[in-house]
C-alpha cells in the first residue's frame, strides 16, 4: 500500500516545504489541496488562479523527490464549470489521474 498526505493538514507551509517533508518522511505521494485566491484561508500553494506560473515546478519537484500526485482535492461544487475546467487542466499538467470535487447540495 502506498501512503500520501492531503495537504490541508500542512496549509501553513509552501509547496516546496511540503514536498521535502513528505519525501523525507518516506511518503509515496502528495494529495494537493487546490484553493482559489478569494478564499479567506487561501494557502501558500496551488490555487486555480495562477497555477500556470508554478505547475511545471511542482511536477518537477515531485518527480525529483519521488512523490506521486494521486489526486488533486478541491472544494469546488460541480456547478462551477470554469473552475472545474481549470482544475482538470492543472491535473493534466501535474499528471494527476483524479480530481475531487463536491457534488451538488440537495435540500
Amino acid at each position: 500500500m502506498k501512503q500520501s498526505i492531503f495537504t490541508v493538514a500542512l496549509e501553513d507551509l509552501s509547496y516546496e516545504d511540503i514536498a521535502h517533508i513528505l519525501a523525507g518522511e518516506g511518503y509515496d505521494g502528495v494529495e494537493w489541496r487546490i484553493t482559489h485566491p478569494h478564499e479567506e484561508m487561501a494557502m501558500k500553494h496551488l490555487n486555480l488562479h495562477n497555477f500556470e506560473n508554478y505547475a511545471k515546478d511542482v511536477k518537477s519537484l515531485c518527480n525529483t523527490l519521488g512523490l506521486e500526485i494521486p489526486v488533486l482535492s478541491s472544494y469546488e461544487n460541480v456547478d462551477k464549470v470554469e473552475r472545474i475546467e481549470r482544475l482538470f487542466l492543472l491535473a493534466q499538467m501535474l499528471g494527476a489521474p483524479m480530481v475531487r470535487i463536491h457534488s451538488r447540495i440537495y435540500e
Side-chain angles (χ1 to χ4, degrees):
M1 177 183 354
K2 295 184 177 184
Q3 301 288 320
S4 61
I5 292 280
F6 178 34
T7 59
V8 74
L10 304 166
E11 64 186 21
D12 293 331
L13 302 175
S14 68
Y15 72 83
E16 297 96 340
D17 289 341
I18 290 171
H20 283 284
I21 289 168
L22 296 183
E25 293 295 324
Y27 284 93
D28 301 297
V30 54
E31 300 176 15
W32 294 109
R33 174 167 183 230
I34 309 302
T35 63
H36 30 261
H38 65 275
E39 288 186 8
E40 286 182 32
M41 300 294 288
M43 295 184 296
K44 299 177 184 177
H45 59 280
L46 304 195
N47 72 59
L48 289 178
H49 175 67
N50 65 351
F51 68 81
E52 295 91 349
N53 297 333
Y54 60 78
K56 288 181 183 178
D57 293 335
V58 171
K59 182 174 177 61
S60 176
L61 179 62
C62 289
N63 287 342
T64 298
L65 296 173
L67 293 171
E68 297 177 22
I69 304 173
V71 64
L72 298 183
S73 298
S74 77
Y75 290 95
E76 296 297 346
N77 289 318
V78 71
D79 61 338
K80 304 294 184 193
V81 176
E82 288 182 26
R83 290 182 187 168
I84 291 173
E85 287 175 348
R86 288 187 58 76
L87 182 64
F88 287 149
L89 179 58
L90 177 56
Q92 183 179 28
M93 292 174 77
L94 295 177
M98 292 187 290
V99 298
R100 185 193 77 190
I101 59 174
H102 280 233
S103 63
R104 184 174 174 184
I105 298 175
Y106 293 96
E107 297 179 21

